[in-house]
């Protein structure tokens, strides 16, 4: 569904992504992991067309996304830090997004709005919201349009345990419908039942791209978090020795 | 595109600054016309105010507005929308609001006190100046990430067009007063939209007699129907060109 070839990006002298080749198919649950500053968010923003790559191309449903915008109809995006117009309230933001995307989908998925209880605080201004509430708005907007692809950048960061559980269940539900889900997170333990593939980025380089069963097999660990930690530690251990 | 425009305009109205601007312009223009004993003098004073205040308010308001909309732009960019339509909606929203404010604030008193071609030309050039300075501010914001720097550049550009440029032209004219440089001055003036608007209006007022030979040359070229058409074409270029370059840059920006 999404095919990334030879993608490179730099901000000035700083290389953020180097020759990334990846392929995401329908129904996949991808975990995009890596240390801070490894280029995860930049990769996501490249897919969304918010960052223009220096080199390489991205195909979405076999169409190049450069200078294209229609493909974003199929993407629901939840940013890491949701930034919204300060003097609008929650209700207005949600109405505005519905209005903008109305022509594309007429059925809205308001599960999250209801489950998070956002309707009760519709008249709160965006600038008065706490980080967690902002995340709830971002998540609700990402799922609102029944998009085929969901891109979630640190979805549960800042959410309380109850909300985080609601969101997780929603992600699993959507994944079971056969949607492609790309998720970045540092909390590996919560990814366990959501994903089937792991993409590991470090310093803008693709370190590995494996399915979970492969990882668990090769490390002999039952838990994803331990398995990944195992691989990362082994890698740095090997690097130190050579 | 119209949808985004709707939200931009709603946002600007909610902002209330534009309403204050209308009220302020209205009060000043009305005051000026009442102070002068004939409406022609009133129009001249209004002209000077318009050439000073309109560019300043347009350039600063739009610069700050665009910086403050960065969240809004970011939100829209992840949606199925063209970058071009986002940028043009911002431009249209700002231009429409400021032109409306100018016409409501200054246009109505002018039409009451001095409703002739000259008055209409002043309204037209004030409206185009508003749009030109929106366009210039969009160019300034797109080339600087830093808000303080961007606003600084906008203010400097305004200073240049409103004050410095005139000074330079005057200096050169005085230095080379012995040579026939009237045509050169005419061409140089079109490099400044504020000056160009001033000359267009001045030539239609009786005071242009005070401008001597240069005034006569100006009148010969700009006083005619063709001259006015050409000058307005130049004014229109003054907002199309910055807008074009800002759009070109915005399309390639990382957000």
């Amino acid at each position: 569904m999404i095919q990334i070839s030879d993608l490179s990006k730099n901000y000035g002298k700083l290389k953020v992504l180097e020759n990334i080749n990846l392929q995401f198919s329908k129904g996949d649950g991808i975990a995009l992991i890596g240390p801070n500053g490894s280029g995860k968010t930049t990769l996501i923003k490249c897919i969304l067309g918010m960052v223009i790559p220096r080199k390489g191309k991205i195909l979405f449903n076999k169409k190049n996304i450069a200078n294209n915008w229609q493909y974003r109809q199929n993407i629901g995006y939840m940013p890491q830090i949701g930034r919204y117009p300060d003097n609008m309230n929650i209700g207005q933001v949600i109405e505005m997004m519905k209005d903008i995307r109305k022509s594309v989908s007429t059925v809205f998925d308001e599960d999250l709005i209801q489950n998070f209880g956002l309707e009760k605080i519709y008249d709160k201004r965006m600038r008065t919201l706490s980080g967690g509430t902002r995340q709830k708005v971002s998540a609700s907007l990402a799922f609102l349009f029944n998009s085929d692809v969901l891109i979630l950048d640190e979805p549960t960061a800042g959410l309380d345990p109850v909300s985080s559980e609601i969101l997780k269940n929603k992600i699993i539900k959507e994944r079971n419908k056969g949607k492609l889900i790309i998720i970045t997170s540092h909390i590996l333990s919560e990814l366990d039942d959501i994903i089937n593939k792991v993409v590991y980025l470090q310093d803008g380089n693709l370190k590995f791209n494996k399915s979970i069963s492969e990882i668990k097999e090769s490390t002999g660990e039952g838990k994803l978090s331990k398995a990944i930690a195992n691989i990362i530690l082994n890698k740095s251990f090997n690097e130190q020795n050579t | 595109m119209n949808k985004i425009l709707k939200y931009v305009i709603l946002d600007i109205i909610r902002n209330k600054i534009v309403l204050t601007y209308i009220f302020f312009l209205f009060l000043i223009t009305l005051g000026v016309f009442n102070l002068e004993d004939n409406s022609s003098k009133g129009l001249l004073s209004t002209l000077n105010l318009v050439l000073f205040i309109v560019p300043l308010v347009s350039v600063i308001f739009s610069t700050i507005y665009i910086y403050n909309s960065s969240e809004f732009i970011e939100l829209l960019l992840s949606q199925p929308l063209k970058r071009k339509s986002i940028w043009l909606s911002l431009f249209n929203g700002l231009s429409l609001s400021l032109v409306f404010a100018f016409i409501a604030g200054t246009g109505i008193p002018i039409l009451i006190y001095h409703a002739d071609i000259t008055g209409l030309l002043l309204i037209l050039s004030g409206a185009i100046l508003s749009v030109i300075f929106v366009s210039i501010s969009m160019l300034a914001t797109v080339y600087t990430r830093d808000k303080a720097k961007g606003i600084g550049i906008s203010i400097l550009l305004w200073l240049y067009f409103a004050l410095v440029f005139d000074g330079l032209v005057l200096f050169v004219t005085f230095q080379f007063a012995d040579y026939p440089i009237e045509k050169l001055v005419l061409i140089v003036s079109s490099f400044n939209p504020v000056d160009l608007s001033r000359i267009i209006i001045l030539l239609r007022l009786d005071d242009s007699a005070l401008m001597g030979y240069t005034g006569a040359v100006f009148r010969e070229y700009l006083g005619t129907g063709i001259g006015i058409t050409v000058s307005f074409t130049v004014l229109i270029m003054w907002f199309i060109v910055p807008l074009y370059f800002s759009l070109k840059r915005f399309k390639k920006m990382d957000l």
Side-chain angles (χ1 to χ4, degrees):
Chain A
M1 201 159 191
I2 300 178
Q3 202 171 355
I4 301 171
S5 42
D6 274 341
L7 192 74
S8 295
K9 174 72 195 172
N10 50 310
Y11 293 129
K13 275 182 186 167
L14 183 73
K15 285 179 182 163
V16 205
L17 292 173
E18 268 190 286
N19 290 322
I20 306 284
N21 287 291
L22 278 170
Q23 189 160 7
F24 304 136
S25 329
K26 204 168 163 36
D28 269 352
I30 314 278
L32 199 57
I33 58 174
N36 297 127
S38 54
K40 303 184 293 286
T41 301
T42 307
L43 179 62
I44 285 177
K45 285 190 168 180
C46 282
I47 297 175
L48 283 161
M50 295 167 80
V51 167
I52 316 285
R54 179 174 58 86
K55 195 163 80 70
K57 61 179 176 187
I58 300 171
L59 303 180
F60 190 96
N61 282 339
K62 300 197 176 87
K63 269 192 219 147
N64 197 336
I65 64 159
N67 298 319
N68 192 347
W69 54 277
Q70 283 97 341
Y71 78 99
R72 285 199 285 268
Q73 287 165 0
N74 305 313
I75 298 181
Y77 168 55
M78 175 177 174
Q80 187 170 19
I81 304 159
R83 305 211 305 150
Y84 301 98
D86 270 348
N87 43 14
M88 286 178 100
N89 61 35
I90 299 182
Q92 284 167 336
V93 169
I94 290 175
E95 280 311 310
M96 180 176 80
M97 299 309 272
K98 279 184 183 171
D99 188 22
I100 286 173
R101 284 176 78 150
K102 198 157 47 187
S103 55
V104 189
S105 55
T106 38
V107 190
F108 298 113
D109 179 356
E110 298 194 333
D111 279 8
L112 279 181
I113 298 179
Q114 278 157 16
N115 292 341
F116 284 146
L118 286 183
E119 277 145 334
K120 274 171 269 165
I121 48 170
Y122 256 16
D123 55 346
K124 267 199 180 178
R125 294 253 161 167
M126 294 311 288
R127 72 164 161 267
T128 63
L129 298 188
S130 70
T133 319
R134 244 167 224 270
Q135 285 290 88
K136 288 182 189 170
V137 175
S138 303
S140 310
L141 288 176
F143 285 90
L144 195 57
F145 306 102
N146 268 313
S147 319
D148 293 339
V149 178
L150 291 164
I151 299 179
L152 312 167
D153 199 353
E154 305 262 359
T156 54
L159 286 183
D160 59 67
V162 179
S163 312
S164 149
E165 203 53 38
I166 293 174
L167 180 57
K168 233 177 102 176
N169 288 332
K170 180 68 183 167
I171 299 173
I172 294 171
K173 196 176 146 196
E174 293 304 308
R175 169 129 150 71
N176 289 339
K177 287 184 191 163
K179 293 182 175 175
L180 167 61
I181 290 172
I182 301 170
I183 207 170
T184 76
S185 183
H186 290 292
I187 311 163
L188 297 169
S189 54
E190 65 174 25
L191 293 173
D192 242 344
D193 3 314
I194 304 177
I195 56 157
N196 65 350
K197 273 186 183 167
V198 177
V199 172
Y200 186 80
L201 283 177
Q202 196 173 13
D203 300 326
N205 291 300
L206 182 64
K207 288 291 176 187
F208 66 81
N209 173 16
K210 283 180 183 161
S211 74
I212 286 208
S213 45
E214 257 181 292
I215 292 170
K216 285 182 178 165
E217 227 168 77
S218 65
T219 54
E221 296 280 358
K223 284 240 177 205
L224 177 65
S225 47
K226 280 190 179 169
I228 301 278
N230 211 323
I231 293 179
I232 295 170
L233 284 176
N234 271 334
K235 276 211 164 166
S236 51
F237 183 70
N238 288 338
E239 276 163 15
Q240 272 168 17
N241 281 345
T242 48
Chain B
M1 175 148 164
N2 292 331
K3 281 178 189 166
I4 317 170
L5 182 63
K6 183 177 91 188
Y7 288 102
V8 172
I9 288 182
L10 272 178
D11 192 42
I12 293 175
I13 291 172
R14 220 176 289 147
N15 188 292
K16 292 195 189 76
I17 285 294
V18 173
L19 292 178
T20 323
Y21 176 51
I22 296 178
F23 183 68
F24 178 71
L25 279 180
F26 190 76
L27 219 62
I28 287 192
T29 321
L30 218 57
V32 162
F33 273 112
N34 279 315
L35 279 175
E36 306 285 357
D37 43 7
N38 78 49
S39 68
S40 182
K41 271 189 185 168
L43 198 69
L44 187 63
S45 309
T46 313
L47 170 71
N48 287 325
L49 279 168
V50 164
L51 294 181
F52 213 68
I53 295 171
V54 168
L56 179 67
V57 173
S58 299
V59 86
I60 291 185
F61 179 75
S62 343
T63 312
I64 297 179
Y65 184 81
I66 294 163
Y67 278 116
N68 281 356
S69 309
S70 63
E71 289 101 357
F72 184 62
I73 296 174
E74 219 177 290
L75 183 66
L76 292 181
L77 269 183
S78 63
Q79 303 303 320
L81 295 168
K82 260 193 236 173
R83 282 194 176 203
K84 190 177 166 186
S85 59
I86 298 175
W87 197 240
L88 289 183
S89 300
L90 272 174
F91 171 76
N92 290 337
L94 281 166
S95 308
L96 281 177
S97 324
L98 289 170
V99 167
F100 172 77
F102 175 76
I103 290 177
T106 312
I108 291 173
I110 289 180
L111 287 180
I112 295 173
Y113 288 97
H114 202 103
D116 63 355
I117 299 274
T118 316
L120 285 177
L121 274 179
L122 179 55
I123 298 174
L124 189 62
S125 43
I128 296 184
L129 274 182
S130 308
V131 181
I132 289 174
F133 279 85
V134 170
S135 171
I136 288 176
S137 73
M138 292 188 89
L139 189 63
T141 49
V142 94
Y143 275 97
T144 39
R145 267 280 158 106
D146 185 6
K147 197 170 172 176
K149 204 170 151 192
I151 295 172
I153 288 176
S154 291
I155 295 177
L156 284 179
L157 281 173
W158 171 77
L159 265 178
Y160 172 75
F161 286 126
L163 298 169
V164 179
F165 189 88
D166 274 357
L168 288 177
V169 171
L170 260 181
F171 177 74
V172 172
T173 322
F174 267 110
Q175 291 300 313
F176 297 93
D178 297 340
Y179 302 90
I181 52 163
E182 287 76 19
K183 281 181 194 168
L184 188 72
V185 172
L186 186 69
I187 294 166
V188 169
S189 300
S190 64
F191 285 102
N192 182 347
V194 179
D195 266 358
L196 197 57
S197 328
R198 176 179 289 134
I199 293 170
I200 294 173
I201 311 294
L202 273 184
L203 285 179
R204 301 204 55 95
L205 294 170
D206 301 334
D207 304 71
S208 62
L210 298 174
M211 285 163 70
Y213 181 59
T214 316
V217 171
F218 278 6
R219 189 183 276 274
E220 189 185 327
Y221 284 90
L222 290 178
T224 59
I226 299 168
I228 289 183
T229 321
V230 171
S231 343
F232 274 101
T233 318
V234 173
L235 283 181
I236 287 167
M237 290 310 288
W238 261 104
F239 77 78
I240 290 180
V241 172
L243 181 67
Y244 171 77
F245 282 105
S246 72
L247 180 63
K248 211 172 145 188
R249 164 88 183 171
F250 180 71
K251 277 186 182 166
K252 288 189 211 139
M253 245 166 72
D254 295 331
L255 284 145

